[in-house]
Structures are given as C-alpha cells and as structure tokens.
Amino acid sequence: MTTALGQQPWEPALSVRQVLTLERVLAGQPEVVAGAHRLDRPVRWVHVAEAADVGVMLSGGEMVLTTGVLLAGDEDKQGEYVRSLHRAEASAVVLGLGRAFPAPPDGMRRAAERCGLPMVVLHRPFPFAELTEEVQSRLLRRKFAAVSLSEAVRTELTGLITAGAPVQRLLDEVARHGGCPVVVTNLAHRVLATAGERAAVDDVLRDWERIARQAGGGAADGWVRAELSCRGERWGRLVLCGYRGERAAGRLLADRAAEALVLHRMLGGDGTRAQGPGGSGDSWDSWDSWEEQSARNLLTDLVTGAVPARQLLPRARAAGLPVNRRVFVPLVVRGGEPARLDRVLRLLGLPGVAADLGDGRVTVLLSLAPDQDARALAAHFAARLRSEPEAPRAVVAAADARAAWDDVPAGLREARHVADAVADSAPGLDLPPVVRLRDIHLRGLVRLLRDDPRVQSFAERELDGLLGGPDEDLLAVLRTYLATGRNKSRTAQLHHVSRPALYRRLEAIQGRLGVDLDDFEQAASVHIALLAHDAQRG
C-alpha cells in the first residue's frame, strides 16, 4: 500500500510548517507568499534545483530550493516552473531572494496560489546546503527511529502471540506504545474491543459513531486507522484515537498492530480474555464472536454493578444499542445460544444485545421505543425462539420493562433470579411463554434465602432421611409430587410408573422422613425444605 506520493504510509516526513520553524531556516527570514493553507503537506526530501524543467526530476514530496536565476524576466517560464512542480506533487518551493529576484515575483506567486503549492521566499541570503543537511539528517533520524520502532513492536507482539497471550494483551501493548486509546470496530463502526486508560476510552466512546465517521481515520488529527482483513476480505478496523506522536510512527504502530491481530486470528485465537468496549473480558469462543464478546462485557458490568450504569452509556451506544428515549426489557434465556438469539432478534427487527455470561444462561437486553408493547414483543420473541429447531424447550425469564437506564442492572438481576428459580422447578411442569417474578411464587423467595445458614440447616433436618441415601429416585419423585400439588396421577405419568408403584414409593418417602404428606402443614414444610435444597445445589 502506498500513498499518493508513492511512499510507504509509515515513511517519516516533516511538514512544510515544521521545516519553516527550524532554527537554520528562521535565520533566512522565511515568508509564506502563497499556499499558506497547505503548510501541513509532508516534506519527504529537500532538492536544490535551478533547472527550468525540474519537475521531471522529482518523485513527489520534495521541497525544492531555488534562486530562480534561470526564470528571471520571463513570467511564462515562472508560471510553467510552478505548474511543473505541482504536477510532480512537490511539497513546496522555496525561493531565495537576491540578484535574480530582489522581491517575490508576482508570476510565480499567482501560479503557486492557483495550484495550492506553498511558496516561501527567504529575505536574507541563506546557504541552501545548510537547510538540505538539516532536513535530511532529521528525516534519516526519523526513519531510523521508525524502523527501530517497527521491529520492536513486531517482535513484542509476535512474542505475545507465540506465548499464547490473550488478544487483550496485544491491544494493551499497542495502547501503551501509542499513549492513547485503541479501538477495534467492525465495518459498520460498531465497537468490538478497546484498550487504554479507562477515562480516555470513555471519552472516545461517548459519541463514537459521529466521531469515527468525521475523523475519517486521518493521522493529521491524531486518528490513525488500519484495516483488518484476512484472505482478501476486510472484517474490521483498528483505530488509534488521539495519537500525539509523529504521524509516521502512528501509522507504523497501527499497521503492526493490525498485522498482529490478523495473525492471531489466522492462528485460531487462544480462547483467552479480550476486553469489549471498556469492559473486563471473559473467554473468547472464537474470533467470529467479537460482537458477542462486546455484548458480554457490557452485560456483565451491568449485572455485577462493577461500573455504575450511567458510566456504561457510552459503551452501550458504541456497541450499537439504542439508549436515547428507550424502554429496556431484561430477559434471560435457558436452552438457547447467543448466535441463535441474535438471529431471532434480527429476524424480528428488535434492537438488543445478547451474550452467555458463562453460566449457561443467555442474558438479553432489548431496547424498545416507548410506544411499543414490551410484554407482547417479549412473548413474540419467546414464541419465535421456540420455533427454532434447536431450541424447542427454551425458557425465557423476564423482568418488567425499565424506562430508565439506571434501573437496567436491577432488572437484569431480577430476570436472572427468575431464570434460576425456573431451573429449580421439577421437569415437565407447564410454564408460561415468558416467566416473570410473579410466576415463581415461593420458589423465588426460597432461592433468595438459600445462602442463609438457618435455611440450610432447616433443609438438611427436614430431608435427612433421603439425603445421601441409595435411592436418589425417591427425592425426584418427592420433588415432582409436591410441585404438581400432590397430584398422584400426574406424578405417576411423569415418572412413567403405575399408580401402585407410586404409592409404594410415597410410603417409603413418608417412612424415611417421618411425615404425613397428606397433612398440608407437614407437606408444605417438606416442600420448602426441598426448594431450599435444590436452590443450594443450583
């Protein structure tokens, strides 16, 4: 890849403006007489030339120094001289005033202004050799430093990859070298991963989409972008946000970082941690799960309260979740996979994020318009999910919709609590399409109290005759019998036994526990103990 000047994108260069601030140049009293708006053009080399057809000798990016001795008295030659420099993509022309031109020539100045070529005159005699030496030595030092940085970064990142380091380590090292936030996005500008100081990252993400599109990836304003591609297909971008070093070094750093990420992907990743937009990461299932990992980190921080919800708003926006004037519906799904849930969300046109937080439950956060029916859409989502061939038994637990973003963490925790309580239920029970807090009744309360030592002691005391015994199926029969409201026919059906066989098992259970299950209070006590036991094991 080359620039318009034909140079490598990371090749060191000084700008015209920087050259004019050099001490040796200032001694010549430089004055910009044309093209003042183009002083940030890069100077790749300095060339001293008096030939009228100097343009054919240039390859682009040169600052041309001349006394104009061959141009004096001929405005046509002066104009053509400037135009030839423009065609050759020279960065600027510097004219030393003296015998040939005691004052800036109008012909050259007008031509330079029309072409947008910076033209500088030196009012005091100035040895061009000194300027050439100064600029060339600076460029060579920069090039040497760039090559050294290139090798150091490549060696360090390659070493991390071969040592099995997580991708987050790579990004952290890039952020350390760059001294600025690093953001990885997909091609639609959705943020997939970040690295850098937390406050700086949050500042970048606060209005990410607008900033990213306006920045355009240009290095002039400190935004340096490198494309991520594999086997000829682009799949993302790496951006150094607000890089304050030399432009060449920033481009080099971004290119080396992109090479490392692509190499990491080609090697199949490492199944280790990577940080989503501003979050603390969990494990990567594959490099195709960037979006899932981004959602996972956001939802993890919301659920745990590790970061105040208000501070997570920039990350939510950057991850593609609408947050302005929205209603949020927290869901937890058992029996579904994040990729499948994402597909269902897209099919239904429901904005949301979904991720498995590492416990076999997929947490989903829907973002709806205030005039949408949250309950109806949640039910529609559950029905569509169950129509998938791979998820006919998926259970969707939900919390009531939250109108305020600050209430979302509590809603997510409530939905997870409902999902846990449902998981403790006896198999085969009829459940509504979307299970809510009011549907889990006593089971939900017991689960909340499961870690209380008094509850644990009560459960062990009530169930002592069955716990640890050889007949584990008796505990399962008891669980179903109590969950069905002591319905013997339904219990026999669910356990595929005859009613006489069930009666014998119930008699054995009552004998071991020393209770009468026909007595409501005793049955209720055993039921509560069993709920507590199951919640503790869960």
Side-chain angles (χ1 to χ4, degrees):
M1 181 175 63
T2 59
T3 65
L5 299 179
Q7 67 196 74
Q8 293 298 321
W10 55 265
E11 185 171 346
L14 293 167
S15 68
V16 175
R17 191 186 309 278
Q18 288 173 316
V19 171
L20 297 182
T21 61
L22 297 178
E23 187 174 348
R24 291 187 180 183
V25 179
L26 291 174
Q29 295 183 359
E31 177 190 1
V32 180
V33 297
H37 61 292
R38 304 293 299 279
L39 295 183
D40 289 320
R41 300 181 75 179
V43 177
R44 186 178 58 84
W45 207 245
V46 177
H47 190 68
V48 181
E50 297 294 352
D53 58 347
V54 65
V56 298
M57 307 175 189
L58 307 179
S59 59
E62 295 90 350
M63 174 180 278
V64 176
L65 311 181
T66 182
T67 62
V69 65
L70 300 180
L71 305 175
D74 191 332
E75 285 200 5
D76 290 340
K77 279 188 177 180
Q78 294 168 20
E80 178 55 31
Y81 180 83
V82 170
R83 287 189 290 273
S84 71
L85 295 180
H86 172 65
R87 289 193 296 270
E89 296 183 325
S91 59
V93 59
V94 178
L95 175 66
L97 300 181
R99 196 181 328 172
F101 291 106
D106 285 340
M108 288 185 69
R109 184 186 58 77
R110 287 194 298 269
E113 194 65 50
R114 283 194 295 269
C115 293
L117 177 70
M119 178 176 172
V120 182
V121 297
L122 300 174
H123 287 277
R124 293 186 61 181
F126 185 87
F128 286 167
E130 290 187 11
L131 174 57
T132 302
E133 178 184 5
E134 176 75 11
V135 174
Q136 314 301 44
S137 64
R138 285 176 179 264
L139 289 175
L140 287 173
R141 288 198 298 270
R142 288 183 176 213
K143 188 166 188 176
F144 178 77
V147 171
S148 298
L149 175 63
S150 172
E151 290 307 309
V153 172
R154 177 187 281 120
T155 300
E156 184 174 353
L157 297 183
T158 302
L160 288 173
I161 293 173
T162 55
V167 69
Q168 186 62 48
R169 277 288 307 281
L170 272 65
L171 295 178
D172 287 341
E173 286 303 307
V174 175
R176 183 179 66 81
H177 278 290
C180 65
V182 177
V183 176
V184 178
T185 77
N186 63 13
L187 297 181
H189 299 284
R190 180 173 176 177
V191 175
L192 306 178
T194 66
E197 184 182 350
R198 175 62 50 241
V201 170
D202 286 345
D203 285 343
V204 168
L205 297 184
R206 191 155 285 114
D207 196 7
W208 167 255
E209 186 169 351
R210 180 185 61 81
I211 294 174
R213 293 184 185 279
Q214 288 183 353
D221 57 3
W223 285 68
V224 189
R225 181 172 64 181
E227 300 294 332
L228 301 173
S229 61
C230 188
R231 298 181 178 89
E233 182 179 354
R234 289 192 306 136
W235 57 273
R237 298 183 181 93
L238 179 140
V239 187
L240 305 183
C241 306
Y243 180 76
R244 296 307 175 206
E246 294 292 340
R247 177 170 59 180
R251 284 176 170 169
L252 179 147
L253 180 60
D255 287 345
R256 293 294 173 265
E259 289 174 4
L261 292 184
V262 171
L263 176 60
H264 197 287
R265 180 180 187 179
M266 291 177 67
L267 292 176
D270 54 8
T272 49
R273 294 181 63 188
Q275 176 176 309
S280 56
D282 211 324
S283 63
W284 287 86
D285 294 328
S286 71
W287 271 79
D288 292 330
S289 63
W290 280 89
E291 286 85 354
E292 180 190 343
Q293 183 63 33
S294 170
R296 179 185 301 175
N297 291 318
L298 173 64
L299 292 173
T300 296
D301 284 347
L302 280 168
V303 168
T304 62
V307 181
R310 183 62 51 181
Q311 294 181 21
L312 295 173
L313 273 172
R315 287 168 49 189
R317 292 192 189 95
L321 185 71
V323 295
N324 294 330
R325 295 184 294 278
R326 307 292 287 187
V327 172
F328 305 97
V329 182
L331 306 173
V332 172
V333 179
R334 285 188 174 275
E337 298 176 354
R340 185 174 299 115
L341 268 63
D342 275 333
R343 183 170 66 249
V344 172
L345 291 176
R346 288 194 297 270
L347 287 172
L348 298 179
L350 295 176
V353 291
D356 185 342
L357 302 191
D359 49 13
R361 300 169 296 183
V362 180
T363 299
V364 182
L365 182 61
L366 302 181
S367 174
L368 307 177
D371 59 349
Q372 291 181 289
D373 189 332
R375 285 181 173 269
L377 287 174
H380 188 35
F381 169 78
R384 183 63 183 80
L385 177 62
R386 288 201 182 105
S387 70
E388 294 279 308
E390 304 90 344
R393 298 182 180 275
V395 176
V396 178
D400 290 336
R402 262 53 179 181
W405 176 257
D406 287 342
D407 295 334
V408 167
L412 288 170
R413 288 191 288 269
E414 179 182 315
R416 289 167 65 83
H417 168 62
V418 173
D420 287 343
V422 171
D424 295 338
S425 301
L429 295 182
D430 293 330
L431 294 170
V434 179
V435 186
R436 301 181 185 276
L437 193 60
R438 67 182 183 184
D439 299 317
I440 58 177
H441 307 294
L442 180 61
R443 188 179 304 276
L445 175 62
V446 171
R447 187 167 186 85
L448 286 176
L449 301 175
R450 64 178 176 174
D451 294 327
D452 189 311
R454 292 169 295 184
V455 175
Q456 295 172 358
S457 177
F458 168 77
E460 291 182 6
R461 184 173 62 251
E462 289 289 301
L463 301 175
D464 182 60
L466 292 179
L467 298 180
D471 298 324
E472 280 292 327
D473 64 319
L474 292 182
L475 200 63
V477 169
L478 175 63
R479 183 181 294 109
T480 305
Y481 178 63
L482 295 174
T484 58
R486 296 182 291 175
N487 186 319
K488 294 183 176 66
S489 298
R490 179 64 172 155
T491 302
Q493 180 184 16
L494 290 173
H495 284 272
H496 308 289
V497 297
S498 65
R499 286 182 64 108
L502 175 65
Y503 293 155
R504 289 194 295 272
R505 296 185 186 187
L506 290 177
E507 289 174 0
I509 291 171
Q510 293 182 102
R512 293 193 181 188
L513 297 182
V515 298
D516 178 6
L517 292 180
D518 289 330
D519 181 84
F520 175 80
E521 185 173 340
Q522 294 183 56
S525 181
V526 172
H527 193 189
I528 293 171
L530 186 57
L531 291 177
H533 169 73
D534 289 343
Q536 291 158 18
R537 294 181 62 186

